[in-house]
């Protein structure tokens, strides 16, 4: 071997043994970056969706709270479907049936006070008794004492109607 050959061989040997940094292909780098960006976007979308769900839950809670507060302030002015939903959810709101029974009881009391026609009083009394029977035990305990007194007045009135009518 000649001296020049030896130097060439050493040069090639050094070049083979020296580690060179590996540069990935541009398309591979772009794919990795695209995947990372897609993952970041997905995480951002999930975060926004979580915020939207929390906002929706807060809004629903506020609506329920408003409905309950309006029931406290305007106890008899709650629309029947809202009243039924709140009562069935266990909130301290009178059932629509109890409200109706109280209204019929009130009308019967007014008719008795005005000594109305016996037919109207008999019809109102029967309706009031029917409504009170349909109530659950807890609501019956609330209304039965008054309903019993008014019913006795109606029975007495119907047994002795005024002579002027």
């Amino acid at each position: 071997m000649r001296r020049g050959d030896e130097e060439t061989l050493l040069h090639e040997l050094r070049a083979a043994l020296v580690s060179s940094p590996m540069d990935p292909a541009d398309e591979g780098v772009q794919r990795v970056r695209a995947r990372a960006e897609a993952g970041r976007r997905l995480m951002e979308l999930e975060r926004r969706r979580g915020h939207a769900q929390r906002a929706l839950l807060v809004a629903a809670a506020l609506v329920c709270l408003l409905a309950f507060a309006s029931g406290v302030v305007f106890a008899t002015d709650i629309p029947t479907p809202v009243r039924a939903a709140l009562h069935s959810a266990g909130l301290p709101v009178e059932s629509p049936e109890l409200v109706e029974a109280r209204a019929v009881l009130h009308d019967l009391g007014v008719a008795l006070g005005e000594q109305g026609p016996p037919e109207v009083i008999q019809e109102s009394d029967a309706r009031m008794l029917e409504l009170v029977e349909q109530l659950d035990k807890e609501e019956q305990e609330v209304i039965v004492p008054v309903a019993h007194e008014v019913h006795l007045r109606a029975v007495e009135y119907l047994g002795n109607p005024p002579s002027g009518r």
Side-chain angles (χ1 to χ4, degrees):
M1 243 177 152
R2 296 202 239 118
R3 177 109 174 116
D5 289 340
E6 194 174 296
E7 284 182 25
T8 305
L9 183 61
L10 280 174
H11 178 66
E12 287 179 16
L13 197 60
R14 274 190 205 118
L17 292 176
V18 171
S19 64
S20 63
M22 292 193 66
D23 291 331
D26 284 339
E27 66 185 41
V29 171
Q30 289 174 354
R31 272 186 281 161
V32 169
R33 284 184 181 158
R35 285 183 184 164
E37 182 65 23
R40 188 186 65 75
R41 284 189 199 138
L42 184 62
M43 288 176 61
E44 180 68 21
L45 182 64
E46 288 295 323
R47 187 180 62 79
R48 287 183 185 163
R49 184 177 295 150
H51 287 308
Q53 287 174 344
R54 272 183 249 128
L56 184 63
L57 287 174
V58 167
L62 285 175
V63 166
C64 288
L65 183 63
L66 258 159
F68 178 71
S70 70
V72 170
V73 175
F74 308 105
T76 59
D77 293 359
I78 301 174
T80 302
V82 174
R83 177 179 296 282
L86 292 174
H87 181 73
S88 66
L91 295 173
V93 176
E94 293 179 344
S95 71
E97 295 81 11
L98 180 58
V99 171
E100 184 180 2
R102 282 190 184 191
V104 171
L105 181 62
H106 172 76
D107 293 345
L108 176 59
V110 169
L112 284 167
E114 294 175 352
Q115 296 186 344
E119 305 83 34
V120 171
I121 291 176
Q122 186 174 11
E123 186 178 307
S124 294
D125 187 47
R127 178 73 178 136
M128 184 267 303
L129 290 173
E130 176 186 327
L131 289 171
V132 169
E133 283 182 18
Q134 292 175 0
L135 297 174
D136 62 25
K137 294 291 181 196
E138 189 176 301
E139 289 179 329
Q140 281 182 352
E141 290 174 5
V142 172
I143 198 171
V144 162
V146 176
H148 182 70
E149 290 297 320
V150 175
H151 172 66
L152 289 177
R153 282 181 48 212
V155 168
E156 181 181 333
Y157 177 81
L158 292 171
N160 302 316
S163 57
R165 297 207 170 204

